[in-house]
């Protein structure tokens, strides 16, 4: 692939991952609300009405794990192809595309931070919950993988942006 195609493909993948992480963050927030409600019902000795919570949560984290596992090879391949290109391939005419990719990576990073915040809230509530067996360890694995992958994407996008800026003509700076 050409450098322009790599930047475009990375931007597309970055947007897809951001949308995925945002949707998972919203779903995790919903599970957090449900968990807090269940904990309140248990504290007040009220019968728990949300009987499907554990199975739905476990399915949610399993689906998230499967999706992340499916996306990882594409990211590994893209990053490998980007690393194979020499610095001279990153010409100044790619600067605008590279900056756009860098912007998308920053937005992805914010989405990842939001997901991490929802994860922290959920785990804080889960500490006192023993009524059902939840696969929180799998959620932890997903959160760690998302954070690590986002960090790699941000790093690659900054490197591309830096390399293209180095090859811009002096009057463009």
């Amino acid at each position: 692939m050409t450098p322009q195609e790599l930047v475009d493909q990375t931007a597309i993948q970055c947007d897809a991952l951001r949308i995925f992480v945002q949707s998972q963050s919203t779903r995790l927030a919903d599970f957090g609300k449900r968990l807090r409600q269940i904990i309140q019902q248990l504290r007040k000795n009220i019968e728990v009405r949300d009987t499907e919570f554990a199975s739905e949560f476990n399915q949610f984290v399993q689906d998230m794990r499967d999706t992340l596992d499916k996306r990882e090879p594409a990211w590994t391949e893209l990053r490998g192809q980007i690393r194979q290109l020499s610095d001279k391939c990153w010409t100044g005419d790619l600067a605008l595309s590279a900056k756009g990719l860098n912007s998308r990576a920053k937005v992805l990073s914010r989405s990842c931070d939001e997901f991490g915040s929802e994860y922290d809230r959920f785990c804080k509530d889960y500490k006192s919950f023993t009524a059902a067996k939840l696969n929180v360890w799998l959620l932890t694995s997903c959160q760690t993988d998302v954070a690590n992958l986002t960090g790699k994407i941000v790093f690659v996008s900054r490197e591309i942006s830096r390399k293209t800026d180095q090859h811009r003509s002096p009057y463009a700076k």
Side-chain angles (χ1 to χ4, degrees):
M1 272 197 248
T2 67
Q4 181 65 51
E5 290 171 336
L6 283 173
V7 169
D8 292 343
Q9 187 63 31
T10 305
I12 290 168
Q13 291 289 332
C14 191
D15 284 342
L17 183 61
R18 176 188 51 81
I19 291 167
F20 173 73
V21 169
Q22 285 176 336
S23 70
Q24 298 308 303
S25 181
T26 302
R27 290 188 65 198
L28 184 57
D30 291 341
F31 279 112
K33 289 176 188 173
R34 289 171 64 185
L35 178 63
R36 284 187 291 279
Q37 188 175 29
I38 289 170
I39 290 171
Q40 286 178 349
Q41 289 170 354
L42 289 172
R43 283 185 184 151
K44 295 177 182 179
N45 291 327
I46 299 172
E47 182 180 342
V48 175
R49 296 177 204 116
D50 194 351
T51 58
E52 298 297 316
F53 175 76
S55 62
E56 288 176 12
F57 177 80
N58 290 337
Q59 187 61 47
F60 159 72
V61 293
Q62 186 60 51
D63 291 344
M64 186 174 183
R65 175 81 269 157
D66 293 343
T67 303
L68 288 173
D69 288 345
K70 287 176 189 172
R71 290 180 183 215
E72 181 64 32
W75 279 111
T76 303
E77 182 182 334
L78 270 174
R79 287 191 336 263
Q81 289 177 354
I82 289 169
R83 286 187 193 117
Q84 287 177 353
L85 294 176
S86 68
D87 288 354
K88 292 180 181 179
C89 292
W90 300 105
T91 58
D93 61 333
L94 295 172
L96 187 59
S97 296
K99 291 209 182 284
L101 172 61
N102 197 16
S103 249
R104 289 176 180 189
K106 287 178 184 177
V107 173
L108 170 62
S109 179
R110 277 183 243 134
S111 296
C112 178
D113 291 344
E114 182 181 311
F115 181 75
S117 296
E118 289 299 332
Y119 166 78
D120 290 342
R121 274 188 223 114
F122 185 87
C123 287
K124 181 181 174 189
D125 292 331
Y126 178 70
K127 265 195 305 191
S128 63
F129 182 70
T130 57
K133 177 94 170 129
L134 301 179
N135 292 339
V136 175
W137 61 272
L138 194 56
L139 179 63
T140 301
S141 169
C142 292
Q143 192 275 335
T144 302
D145 289 351
V146 166
N148 289 339
L149 183 58
T150 299
K152 291 174 185 176
I153 293 166
V154 168
F155 178 77
V156 165
S157 68
R158 285 180 185 159
E159 284 297 303
I160 291 172
S161 186
R162 183 185 58 80
K163 289 175 183 178
T164 57
D165 275 348
Q166 288 175 347
H167 293 102
R168 290 175 68 191
S169 58
Y171 63 86
K173 293 180 182 176

